[in-house]
Amino acid sequence: MAVLDVHFLALHEPYEAPEHPVPINATIVHARTLLHPAVTQPDGALMYRCLTEFPDREPGCVVPLSTLTYELDGGAGWSLIGDWASVVDDIVWLSRQRKCDAMPLGLPPLAATLLSHGPATKHTVHYVDAPPEIVGPAERRRELAQLTAAVRQYVARGPFWPGDDLVNPPREPATLPYKPHSLN
C-alpha cells in the first residue's frame, strides 16, 4: 500500500541566494513534486513510486536520496529507475523558481555528511582539541527526526504545493527493484 504523504530530501551542490543567510545545500519537497512535468520523466515518477511504495514508510516522513540508494541495493537498482542527479537538479530549479513549495536548507557539515550516506554508514569525526568520535545510524536518525518535525510544523500551516500539471506515475514496472543493501 502506498504512503502518499512523503517528503523527499535532496542534498545538492550549495548555492547562495540573497534571501538565505547561509549557502543552501539541501532541499525538501513533497514526493508529488517528482511528478512535475519540469522534472525529468519517467525518472521522477519512478522515484516518486520508490518514495511512496517502499514497505514500512510512515506518513509525513522525510526520505533522503541516500535512503533510496540504500533501498535500491546500494545504488545498483538506479539503472532501472533513472537519472537521480537530473531529478535533483530539476527539483532545485523548481524550488528556486518558486514553481513548487520547498524547504531550502543550509545543513551543517556533519548533518550533510550523515544524510548523504546510507542508514548504516558510520563516520569518524576528527577534532582539533578532542579525540575522534564515531557517529552513524543513531545520529542520522536524530537529524531525520528534526527535519521531520520541521516539515510537520510547515505542513500544519498548509500542505506542500507540489506544482501544477503533474504527470501520473507509470504503472510499470508492477514491482520496483527494492533490495536493501546489507547492513553487515
Side-chain angles (χ1 to χ4, degrees), residues 8 12 15 19 27-41 44 86-104 161-167:
F8 176 58
H12 49 77
Y15 67 85
E19 66 270 22
T27 302
I28 296 176
V29 296
H30 194 279
R32 290 184 57 221
T33 303
L34 280 75
L35 300 174
H36 196 285
V39 172
T40 303
Q41 298 296 347
S86 290
V87 171
V88 168
D89 288 345
D90 296 340
I91 295 285
V92 172
W93 181 84
L94 283 170
S95 168
R96 295 189 74 185
Q97 298 301 311
R98 302 186 190 284
K99 294 185 179 287
C100 67
D101 283 344
M103 291 179 70
W161 169 58
D164 294 325
D165 302 320
L166 305 181
V167 302

Side-chain angles (χ1 to χ4, degrees), residues 124-179:
T124 302
V125 179
H126 296 276
Y127 300 100
V128 173
D129 56 354
E133 174 185 23
I134 296 179
V135 296
E139 291 80 8
R140 185 180 191 272
R141 284 191 300 274
R142 199 164 26 254
E143 291 291 340
L144 277 173
Q146 289 174 355
L147 291 174
T148 299
V151 167
R152 287 190 174 141
Q153 284 181 333
Y154 180 92
V155 170
R157 294 177 288 182
F160 270 74
W161 169 58
D164 294 325
D165 302 320
L166 305 181
V167 302
N168 290 319
R171 294 177 187 209
E172 295 298 325
T175 305
L176 296 166
Y178 301 124
K179 184 178 176 186

Side-chain angles (χ1 to χ4, degrees), residues 47-59:
M47 286 175 65
Y48 167 82
R49 286 190 54 203
C50 290
L51 287 164
T52 60
E53 294 177 17
F54 188 78
D56 301 325
R57 272 296 180 250
E58 295 289 326

